[in-house]
Every structure is written in C-alpha cells, then in structure tokens.
Amino acid sequence: MYTIDHSHTIMSTKARVFSTIALQSILLTLLSSFVTGENQDFVRTLDRNLHGFKKEKLTHFRVYWHDIYSAPNPTAMPIVRPPSNTSATLFGSISMIDDPLTEKPELSSKLIGRAQGFYGSAGQEETALLMAMNFVFLQGKYNGSTISILGRNHVFSKVREMPVIGGSGLFRFARGYAQASTHSFDLKSGDAVVEYNFLDLDCLYFISYLSYG
Ligand SMILES: *[C@@H]1O[C@H](CO)[C@@H](O)[C@H](O)[C@H]1NC(C)=O
Ligand SMILES: *[C@@H]1O[C@H](CO)[C@@H](O)[C@H](O)[C@H]1NC(C)=O
C-alpha cells in the first residue's frame, strides 16, 4: 500500500490524477473488503453519510477490556502507591496494565487484542484517571496494528469519552474517539470489565497523497 512509484515523474498531470483516483478506488475496495469480508463480530463499517463524513471511512469497534488485579494472573499492577494515605481518590497512584481485550464480556471469549499502557489517578476531588494505552490487535488483518488512546476517564460516569490520538499498521493516521462504559466492577478485588467502543476514520486522502508525493 505504501510502495513508492518512481514512474510518476514522467506521467502527465492527467495520468497522475487518474492513477490517484484509481489508487483510491483500489484502496477503498481493499479496505472495505477487509472490514466486511471478515467474519468478526467486533468490527463493522458504518454509513459515513449518516455521520456527516464525506471522504473518510468510518469503522466501529467494540471490545471488552479486562482489568484484573486478583491472583493468580493479574493483568494490572500498581506501580506507584498513593503518596498520601488520606486521599479518597488515591490521587497520584499509577497502575501498569496488559489487559486482555475480548469479543464478549467473558474473559474466556475470543481474544481480540491487548490494552498495554498505564493509568493514574489524576483527580483530587473525584475519581478521574489519566489513561495512556495502546490497543494492540491480534486477530486477522489487524494482527499487530495498534490504536493509541490518551484521555480522561471519569470512572463513575456511565459513558466516558477518550480521544484516539493515532495508530500504526492498518490504523496509520487513525483518529477518532473511544467510549468506555463499565460492565462489571468488583469492589473487593478492584477487578473490572469495561466495554470500549471506538470509532476510527481512515484518512484515505492522506494515504494516496503520500504514495504520490
Ligand atoms: C498515614 O500516613 C501518615 C504520615 O505518613 C502516618 O503517620 C500514618 O501512620 C499513616 N496511616 C495509616 C493508617 O497508614
Ligand atoms: C499474529 O502475528 C503473530 C506474529 O507475526 C503470529 O505469531 C500470530 O500467529 C498471528 N496471529 C493470528 C491470529 O494471525
């Protein structure tokens, strides 16, 4: 998809415009075939016109994020203890995570990827986390591609919105947002299952521009 075309220097402007359009169509076909062609429940293409996007392809993903503190296989570990033992929000504490992302709320369901990164308590008055994590996908054509999420997670709100700030592999130039809502939370262990939905816009214009730069 990113091969450099040296022959473009001898092409006429018309030919270049035509080949750019042709490339865009090929890219569109390729991109839609990998999204719709795979039998995967966690991803679907949306009608971009309904959402007010003209040039871009809108894709919706849904995964379940398992934050597990309890033994025997914790996926979240406190790396900085709260500096003060009087903070109700554990202000200043940080956890490192390598959380499974699954297709269904059950941990035993299909593993879609992992959320690797950390979060810290950034609110003194209310429980608001700073989330900094990469979703690395492990399935099908998405295998190895990542999405980076950085945002505020007000954990006791029903739906929390966080920006998708970029990506790699198939998610190059990704932008969009994630919405998280808690599916279950165990007060005793701290274990949580959170549903993450995110929208991604593929910037086809940038891809073809780079190929023909
Ligand atoms: C809380 O921290 C203070 C000061 O560091 C210490 O004196 C006190 O024993 C701690 N209390 C508890 C319950 O750990
Ligand atoms: C994903 O990629 C890794 C490394 O290339 C490979 O070992 C693994 O089998 C792939 N998984 C799937 C489901 O394709």
Side-chain angles (χ1 to χ4, degrees), residues 138-140 143:
L138 300 170
Q139 288 298 333
N143 192 5

Side-chain angles (χ1 to χ4, degrees), residues 78-149:
I79 53 167
V80 176
R81 301 275 169 192
S84 156
N85 61 12
T86 58
S87 168
T89 63
L90 308 178
F91 180 69
S93 59
I94 299 177
S95 288
M96 201 86 203
I97 61 167
D98 184 3
D99 287 351
L101 300 170
T102 60
E103 189 170 51
K104 303 266 155 61
E106 299 76 35
L107 183 57
S108 57
S109 65
K110 188 174 179 182
L111 184 73
I112 303 301
R114 307 194 73 87
Q116 299 176 332
F118 57 85
Y119 57 79
S121 173
Q124 296 197 74
E125 304 299 327
E126 45 183 359
T127 308
L129 305 177
L130 163 68
M131 309 294 293
M133 57 185 175
N134 297 312
F135 281 10
V136 52
F137 286 79
L138 300 170
Q139 288 298 333
K141 301 235 167 135
Y142 296 100
N143 192 5
S145 293
T146 66
I147 285 269
S148 298
I149 293 173

Side-chain angles (χ1 to χ4, degrees), residues 19-29 55 204-205 208-209:
S19 58
T20 303
I21 292 167
L23 180 73
Q24 275 185 342
S25 317
I26 292 165
L27 283 170
L28 267 170
T29 312
K55 283 206 174 78
L204 294 173
Y205 178 75
S208 54
Y209 175 79

Side-chain angles (χ1 to χ4, degrees), residues 139-178:
Q139 288 298 333
K141 301 235 167 135
Y142 296 100
N143 192 5
S145 293
T146 66
I147 285 269
S148 298
I149 293 173
L150 179 74
R152 177 177 189 262
N153 185 357
H154 184 241
V155 291
F156 294 118
S157 290
K158 198 166 185 308
V159 179
R160 294 87 72 181
E161 185 170 313
M162 291 164 244
V164 167
I165 59 166
S168 71
L170 283 177
F171 298 116
R172 282 178 187 176
F173 303 113
R175 60 204 170 84
Y177 62 91

